[in-house]
């Protein structure tokens, strides 16, 4: 196995920690000896062994004199686990290839320490590692709002619901199962008030991954109107719910708060996101509807777009995926970067990141 292949293997292994390691990053590691894999591991659980330690444990004595390929720079600090740099040195590793420098000032610097101790250290700057840990990098990038991902399931002609407003179900069961996996890796799941009232969604994770911390449910509604959103109101004390509004009548606010719902007042969408960040939400997955999607996209507040496209047409009377989004001249339109493409039976998933 080449070092490039080992790095990709590390990325694949790192996904196994999705939903379980937050706020730590996703990390995978492979130990090579003359091109042969002698150990591999990943960060599987917050507070548990880091990927490097797991890989070295799997390799045992065979790690001595070998190469450690790891997706993120080995840490040098004492947290819930001892420094990975100490484990690497103790194992006799001679060369370390890492995919991306750790932006966390409290944990970074491991590469320099290992180089000082005589190891050959190479930063590969692997783009897949940055995409995989986009929310982690966002947290240390100076942003005052959460990392915002938008997920929409649409027809081929870009409709999120039919002309009556029904959206269940545009996508098939496998795509919906994948969405539950996706939800597990975010701090919060958000919808607009109209979607909350029309669909009465639970916005919980009900898939193969049980998140270490269940995502908070967030509703964006100017008037804090949750009439019809019975599931959200009724389960607010079990899984937290936050309403972001511009103004709420005192009796409405009191009623929501008595149900266990947090109410955040903000003058506009961008300020609402700042308030969410201040309340501890570092990443937000928005799942509709079209009006909220259009407002977020128009304001340049979407960092990643998960597009589930299903092979049906709903026509011009169906609800548009991006309501109110103003037109752009072709030469001025923003081009997004394709991160991933895959399919679930007849549905197609396209993942885009903002350039």
């Amino acid at each position: 196995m080449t070092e490039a292949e080992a790095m990709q293997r590390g990325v694949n292994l790192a996904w196994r920690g999705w939903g379980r390691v937050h706020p730590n990053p996703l990390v995978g590691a492979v130990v090579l000896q003359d091109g042969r894999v002698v150990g591999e591991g990943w960060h599987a659980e917050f507070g548990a062994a880091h990927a490097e330690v797991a890989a070295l444990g799997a390799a045992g004595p065979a790690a001595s004199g070998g190469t450690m390929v790891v997706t993120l720079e080995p840490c040098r600090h004492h947290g819930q686990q001892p420094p990975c740099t100490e484990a690497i040195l103790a194992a006799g590793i001679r060369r370390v290839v890492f995919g991306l420098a750790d932006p966390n000032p409290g944990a970074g610097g491991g590469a320099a320490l290992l180089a000082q101790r005589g190891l050959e250290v190479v930063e590969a700057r692997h783009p897949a590692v940055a995409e995989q840990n986009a929310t982690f990098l966002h947290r240390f990038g100076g942003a005052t709002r959460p990392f915002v991902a938008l997920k929409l399931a649409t027809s081929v002609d870009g409709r999120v619901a039919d002309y009556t407003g029904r959206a269940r179900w545009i996508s098939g069961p496998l795509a919906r199962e994948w969405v539950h996996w996706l939800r597990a890796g975010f701090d919060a799941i958000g919808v607009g008030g109209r979607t909350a009232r029309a669909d009465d969604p639970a916005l919980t994770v009900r898939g193969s991954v049980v998140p270490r911390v269940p995502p908070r449910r967030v509703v964006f509604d100017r008037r804090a109107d949750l009439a019809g959103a019975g599931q959200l109101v009724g389960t607010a004390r079990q899984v937290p719910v936050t309403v972001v509004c511009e103004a709420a009548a005192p009796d409405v606010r009191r009623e929501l708060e008595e149900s266990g719902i947090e109410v955040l007042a903000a003058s506009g969408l961008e300020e609402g996101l700042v308030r969410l960040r201040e309340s501890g939400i570092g990443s937000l997955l928005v799942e509709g509807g079209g009006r909220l999607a259009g407002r977020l996209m128009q304001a340049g507040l979407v960092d990643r777009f998960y597009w589930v496209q299903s092979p049906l047409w709903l026509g011009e009377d169906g609800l548009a995926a991006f309501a109110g989004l103003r037109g752009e001249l072709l030469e001025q339109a923003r081009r997004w970067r394709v991160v991933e493409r895959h399919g679930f039976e007849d549905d197609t998933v396209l993942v885009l990141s903002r350039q």
Side-chain angles (χ1 to χ4, degrees):
M1 179 179 283
T2 66
E3 290 178 355
E5 291 170 336
M7 185 65 72
Q8 185 57 55
R9 173 62 178 166
V11 170
N12 295 341
L13 289 169
W15 282 119
R16 301 184 185 185
W18 180 256
R20 301 299 306 171
V21 302
H22 180 80
N24 289 349
L26 296 163
V27 185
V30 176
V31 181
L32 298 176
Q33 192 66 263
D34 298 322
R36 181 173 57 91
V37 177
V38 295
E40 60 182 29
W42 63 93
H43 186 32
E45 192 78 25
F46 179 77
H50 290 182
E52 299 94 320
V53 174
L56 291 171
S64 182
T67 296
M68 163 73 73
V69 179
V70 59
T71 58
L72 195 70
E73 178 185 14
C75 68
R76 61 175 296 175
H77 79 306
H78 285 269
Q80 296 206 21
Q81 294 287 321
C84 292
T85 49
E86 289 185 2
I88 290 170
L89 291 168
I93 291 290
R94 63 171 180 80
R95 175 179 166 87
V96 173
V97 180
F98 65 98
L100 193 70
D102 191 338
N104 183 353
L113 183 148
L114 293 172
Q116 290 169 5
R117 297 292 292 271
L119 275 69
E120 184 180 359
V121 180
V122 177
E123 181 180 357
R125 297 186 180 181
H126 199 291
V129 178
E131 297 294 355
Q132 183 177 58
N133 282 298
T135 60
F136 178 75
L137 297 176
H138 182 88
R139 180 152 56 98
F140 292 99
T144 59
R145 62 166 177 82
F147 179 92
V148 177
L150 176 65
K151 189 281 298 179
L152 295 177
T154 79
S155 59
V156 172
D157 52 348
R159 306 291 155 171
V160 293
D162 65 18
Y163 67 86
T164 70
R166 289 183 303 161
R168 294 182 179 177
W169 296 103
I170 288 178
S171 58
L174 290 184
R176 297 199 298 272
E177 183 179 336
W178 171 79
V179 169
H180 279 287
W181 173 88
L182 182 66
R183 287 177 174 182
F186 285 83
D187 292 336
I189 304 164
V191 295
R194 181 177 178 180
T195 298
R197 291 186 292 272
D199 294 350
D200 189 19
L203 299 181
T204 53
V205 180
R206 304 181 298 279
S208 58
V209 175
V210 178
R212 186 179 71 86
V213 179
R216 194 185 310 182
R217 284 90 56 83
V218 177
V219 178
F220 294 87
D221 189 85
R222 289 187 175 92
R223 296 172 298 146
D225 181 7
L226 288 190
Q231 290 196 80
L232 291 173
V233 176
T235 60
R237 296 195 184 279
Q238 288 74 51
V239 181
V241 176
T242 297
V243 174
V244 179
C245 62
E246 289 189 359
D251 57 332
V252 171
R253 183 175 190 128
R254 183 173 59 254
E255 182 178 346
L256 291 174
E257 290 177 340
E258 287 175 352
S259 297
I261 296 172
E262 177 186 41
V263 179
L264 295 180
S267 58
L269 191 54
E270 190 162 4
E271 184 180 331
L273 291 173
V274 172
R275 296 288 172 266
L276 288 174
R277 177 66 182 264
E278 291 171 348
S279 72
I281 293 177
S283 60
L284 171 69
L285 178 65
V286 175
E287 297 195 2
R291 292 180 181 178
L292 178 58
R295 290 169 59 206
L296 286 168
M297 198 67 82
Q298 189 70 60
L301 296 173
V302 177
D303 301 297
R304 179 160 293 179
F305 179 33
Y306 296 95
W307 183 15
V308 182
Q309 188 183 71
S310 297
L312 71 161
W313 283 259
L314 293 175
E316 63 180 13
D317 292 330
L319 299 184
F322 296 100
L325 190 60
R326 295 194 302 271
E328 296 279 359
L329 292 173
L330 180 61
E331 61 271 17
Q332 296 174 350
R334 178 189 295 273
R335 289 192 181 273
W336 290 53
R337 183 176 63 257
V338 177
V339 175
E340 188 179 343
R341 291 186 181 94
H342 56 266
F344 296 104
E345 294 181 332
D346 293 334
D347 298 321
T348 301
V349 174
L350 182 63
V351 183
L352 304 172
S353 278
R354 191 170 55 170
Q355 295 278 22

